[in-house]
């Protein structure tokens, strides 16, 4: 997904270097046809033909596999943990042999370049951990959108797939989707999500991820309709269209063929033919501008926001009430109060890609405001929150639960250790430039006994060999990620302070990474009960996904070495590519099983089914959450 950000921000300089190479007579250059297609009228087939026309390049494939092998072997903290068989409910994910999988792909000869990279993408998704990605920029150059968004409400105690939104405006909303491409709709969506999302180890969350949901758009205070990944694809879909068999009003069934709407992500003129497609969009950019991981708006919000604008125009940014919820304040987060239950307030936290120094004081201001309006109970709505800053994850629970012990909001954490990583940490200790700090900077990490930053190298002392599933590797001693607790104004308190029975968390399981870490503090350190919505009827659902790690991509790994004047352990990937793995292994409380694989930590205390009303109206969902949590 991160590669889309790069695409959206692709400089115009790139367009300038795209120069037309002469077409060979009689040779249809599919990418040149694609380049000539009008932006609003690009077809699935035009994109597929261009993608598939790129020749498989054995030398490049070898270089790619070599880099991935070193990267996974040295940095991927779940390399061996991923072999864990028989995960317990609510997790359902098969074991993956990371090194064997790469080897298998490396030995295969492919018909074309696209198939090779597609196999690597599917391999990354097989970990069911959204931190593990493989997304070449050029094969994410187009987004594909279906005219129908789907959901799976429970009506009269029975769950069915239905049309949540019909962009053709032909009255198909809430028609039942009986079959998709001739197969049972629920089964085919689940099977697709199991193979093509890689988002969560819980099949119910993968189901939610494939289906429509709501997402708060902080810039405009609007709740966006998220199509769900079954209807909104970052990668080339498997088929040219989707055939639906619909049952409207319970009686007759009708057929509907959904063509993909193709939305280009790269600016117009980025390429003119196959050669320039490869050199401008596929190959690793030669500019050595280091990519400072800035706080960026979520990719999904950016794309959906611009889709919304193209249909409705730019909305104003004023505060907007929902029918049953007054919006009191909002910037990156939002504070609502239910009108029908004025004692219930809602804090919406749609992302953790936010700056703690300004956001925590804002949130404390919102909480004071709600308390002054008579709010006594708080729902923290973190649906669709894919994570962000770990510091924010540690600070948010401190707004609700006062503690002088910093370790309450920190996870015991381990990294993999190699000689190269030891050298990185050593160089960080000696380098005074804060811009040279890396994941392995001992001064950003704290000793678990005293919660004070390291002055010595924890990647040299206390290193342990740990075996997972019969395979052993070197890991660092346990460390904490340091954070600045002084950002919280501890003089402020609210009617719900330190009272878990007045606080609940709402998610649809799509609360990832730092969002999962913060939920773990609320729930397992303080006894807050979470409500999870959606998934499958009568089946436990996770409150979070991929909570157990921080993410590292190949480019920032290489840059970590380069900025310290050290030699990276591998060559950069030939392609501009978003390739990442989990780099830290965190443990909840005193567990010995890493949080990422500890199924007992995942289920929400309460589960709600969607129905047509709460799926379309976030205020009605909040009222249902309040009834479930505080009955
Ligand atoms: C649900 O049950 C009610 C009452 O029995 C009935 O009127 C309604 O048509 C049913 N709805 C559906 C979608 O089956
Ligand atoms: C890359 O960095 C070097 C040294 O920092 C500089 O001299 C060179 O111009 C840069 N190249 C590009 C393409 O920016
Ligand atoms: C809103 O957030 C932005 C950045 O996230 C910050 O710069 C700005 O000061 C905030 N505005 C208010 C009124 O808090
Ligand atoms: C974890 O272990 C420490 C040290 O033995 C103990 O003080 C603490 O209470 C334990 N925490 C939990 C949540 O069990």
């Amino acid at each position: 997904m991160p590669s889309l950000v790069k695409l959206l921000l692709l400089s115009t300089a790139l367009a300038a270097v795209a120069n037309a190479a002469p077409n060979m007579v009689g040779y249809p250059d599919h990418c040149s046809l694609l380049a000539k297609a009008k932006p609003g009228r690009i077809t699935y087939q035009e994109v597929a033909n261009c993608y598939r026309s790129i020749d498989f390049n054995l030398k490049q494939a070898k270089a790619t596999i070599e880099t991935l092998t070193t990267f996974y072997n040295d940095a991927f903290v779940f390399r061996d943990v991923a072999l864990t068989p028989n995960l317990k409910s609510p997790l359902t994910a098969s074991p993956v042999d990371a090194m064997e999988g790469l080897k298998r792909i490396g030995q295969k000869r492919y018909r074309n370049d696209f198939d090779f990279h597609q196999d690597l993408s599917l391999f990354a998704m097989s970990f069911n951990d959204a931190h593990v990605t493989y997304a070449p920029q050029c094969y994410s150059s187009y987004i594909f959108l279906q005219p129908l968004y789907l959901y799976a409400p429970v009506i009269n105690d029975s769950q069915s797939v239905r049309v949540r939104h019909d962009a053709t405006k032909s009255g198909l909303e809430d028609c039942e989707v009986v079959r998709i491409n001739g197969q049972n709709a629920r089964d085919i969506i689940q099977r697709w999500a199991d193979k093509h999302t890689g988002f969560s180890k819980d099949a119910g969350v993968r189901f939610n991820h494939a289906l429509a949901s709501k997402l708060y758009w902080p810039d405009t205070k609007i709740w966006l309709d998220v199509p769900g990944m079954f209807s909104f694809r970052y990668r080339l879909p498997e088929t040219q269209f989707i055939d639906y068999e619909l049952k409207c009003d319970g009686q007759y069934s009708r057929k509907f063929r959904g063509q993909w709407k193709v939305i280009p992500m790269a600016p117009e003129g980025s390429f003119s033919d196959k050669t320039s497609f490869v050199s401008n969009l596929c190959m690793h950019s030669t500019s050595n501008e280091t990519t400072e991981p800035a706080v960026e708006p979520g990719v999904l919000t950016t794309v959906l926001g611009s889709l919304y604008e193209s249909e409705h125009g730019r909305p104003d940014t004023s505060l907007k009430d929902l029918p049953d919820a007054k919006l009191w304040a909002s910037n990156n987060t939002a504070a609502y109060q239910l009108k029908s239950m004025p004692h219930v307030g809602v804090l919406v936290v749609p992302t953790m890609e936010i700056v703690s120094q300004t956001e925590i004081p804002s949130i404390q201001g919102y909480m004071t405001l709600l308390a002054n309006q008579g709010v006594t109970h708080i729902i923290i709505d973190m649906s669709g929150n894919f994570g962000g800053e770990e510091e924010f994850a540690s600070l948010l629970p401190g707004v609700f639960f006062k503690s002088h012990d910093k370790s309450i909001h920190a996870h015991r954490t381990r990294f993999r250790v190699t000689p190269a990583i030891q050298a990185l940490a050593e160089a960080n200790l000696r380098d005074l430039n804060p811009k040279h700090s890396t994941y392995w900077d001992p001064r950003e990490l704290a000793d678990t006994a005293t919660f004070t930053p390291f002055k010595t190298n924890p990647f040299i002392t206390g290193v342990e060999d740990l075996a997972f599933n019969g395979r052993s590797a070197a890991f660092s001693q346990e460390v904490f990620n340091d954070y600045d607790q002084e950002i919280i104004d501890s003089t402020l308190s609210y009617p719900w302070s330190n009272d878990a029975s007045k606080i609940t968390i709402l998610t649809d399981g799509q609360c990832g990474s730092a969002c999962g870490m913060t939920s773990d503090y609320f729930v397992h350190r303080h006894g807050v009960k979470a409500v999870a919505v959606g998934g499958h009827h009568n089946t436990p659902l996770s409150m979070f996904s991929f909570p157990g790690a921080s993410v590292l991509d190949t480019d920032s790994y290489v840059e970590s070495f380069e900025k310290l004047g050290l030699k990276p352990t591998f060559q950069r990937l030939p392609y501009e590519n978003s390739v990442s793995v989990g780099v830290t292994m965190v443990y909840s409380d005193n567990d010995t099983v890493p949080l990422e694989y500890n199924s007992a930590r995942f289920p929400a205390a309460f589960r709600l089914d969607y129905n047509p009303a709460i799926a379309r109206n976030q205020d009605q969902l909040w009222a249902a959450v309040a009834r479930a949590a505080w009955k």
Side-chain angles (χ1 to χ4, degrees), residues 162-167 170-176 248 616:
R162 286 175 188 264
V163 178
R164 166 74 182 69
H165 171 78
D166 167 17
S170 19
L172 299 179
E173 287 195 352
D174 275 326
C175 290
E176 185 181 345
C248 306
R616 289 194 171 81

Side-chain angles (χ1 to χ4, degrees), residues 159-223:
Q159 187 169 29
S160 51
V161 175
R162 286 175 188 264
V163 178
R164 166 74 182 69
H165 171 78
D166 167 17
T168 69
K169 299 194 165 62
S170 19
L172 299 179
E173 287 195 352
D174 275 326
C175 290
E176 185 181 345
V177 183
V178 186
R179 291 182 167 271
I180 292 176
N181 294 339
Q183 299 177 57
N184 176 286
R186 196 164 145 189
D187 295 348
I188 199 171
I189 292 169
Q190 183 69 59
R191 274 205 306 277
W192 179 83
D194 290 348
K195 185 171 175 195
H196 293 273
T197 61
F199 187 81
S200 171
K201 293 185 178 64
D202 179 336
V205 179
R206 296 196 291 270
F207 193 58
N208 276 349
H209 191 60
L211 296 173
S213 59
K214 287 278 188 183
L215 182 66
Y216 187 68
W217 184 16
D219 290 359
T220 63
K221 285 81 176 159
I222 280 176
W223 285 85

Side-chain angles (χ1 to χ4, degrees), residues 214-425:
K214 287 278 188 183
L215 182 66
Y216 187 68
W217 184 16
D219 290 359
T220 63
K221 285 81 176 159
I222 280 176
W223 285 85
L224 291 167
D225 283 321
V226 181
M229 292 299 149
F230 186 76
S231 307
F232 178 90
R233 308 285 182 89
Y234 292 117
R235 281 172 295 273
L236 185 71
E238 308 75 55
T239 55
Q240 196 179 347
F241 44 75
I242 293 184
D243 278 335
Y244 305 86
E245 203 180 306
L246 303 169
K247 219 171 184 179
C248 306
D249 304 324
Q251 287 305 317
Y252 59 98
S253 65
R254 58 192 275 187
K255 295 194 186 321
F256 178 88
R257 173 160 290 181
Q259 302 287 348
W260 295 104
K261 175 179 172 175
V262 182
I263 305 158
M265 287 288 104
E268 236 183 308
S270 299
F271 66 97
S272 56
D273 57 9
K274 187 160 104 176
T275 311
S276 54
F277 179 85
V278 172
S279 60
N280 299 348
L281 290 183
C282 294
M283 298 310 289
H284 209 293
S285 117
T286 46
S287 96
N288 47 11
E289 234 177 80
T290 50
T291 44
E292 284 299 328
V295 172
E296 290 160 342
V299 181
L300 192 61
T301 317
T302 308
V303 174
L304 292 178
S306 50
L307 278 178
Y308 181 97
E309 279 178 17
S310 67
E311 202 178 320
H312 305 278
R314 176 84 187 166
D316 67 59
T317 59
S318 63
L319 299 182
K320 297 168 185 70
D321 289 354
L322 298 171
D324 186 29
K326 178 161 181 61
L327 179 57
W328 284 103
S330 170
N331 190 16
N332 302 300
T333 56
Y336 287 89
Q337 180 182 24
L338 286 189
K339 295 176 184 172
S340 60
M341 298 182 222
H343 67 290
V344 176
V346 183
L347 173 67
V348 180
V349 185
T351 175
M352 299 210 164
E353 295 277 10
I354 39 191
V355 179
S356 297
Q357 283 80 353
T358 50
E359 202 62 32
I360 292 293
S362 293
I363 289 175
Q364 291 201 284
Y366 297 175
M367 294 296 99
T368 302
L369 210 156
L370 289 180
N372 289 343
Q373 297 302 324
V375 167
T376 56
H377 291 64
I378 285 283
I379 297 169
I380 306 173
D381 184 346
M382 296 198 284
S383 311
N385 182 325
F386 297 168
E389 301 298 312
E390 232 175 285
E391 174 159 60
F392 184 77
S394 289
L395 289 169
L396 186 62
V399 171
F400 297 82
F401 296 93
K402 286 189 190 174
S403 168
H404 294 294
D405 178 1
K406 276 173 79 174
S407 72
I408 293 290
H409 301 141
H411 284 119
R412 292 179 296 117
T413 299
R414 288 183 194 271
F415 294 77
R416 286 290 322 282
V417 172
T418 61
I421 283 168
Q422 291 175 323
L424 264 183

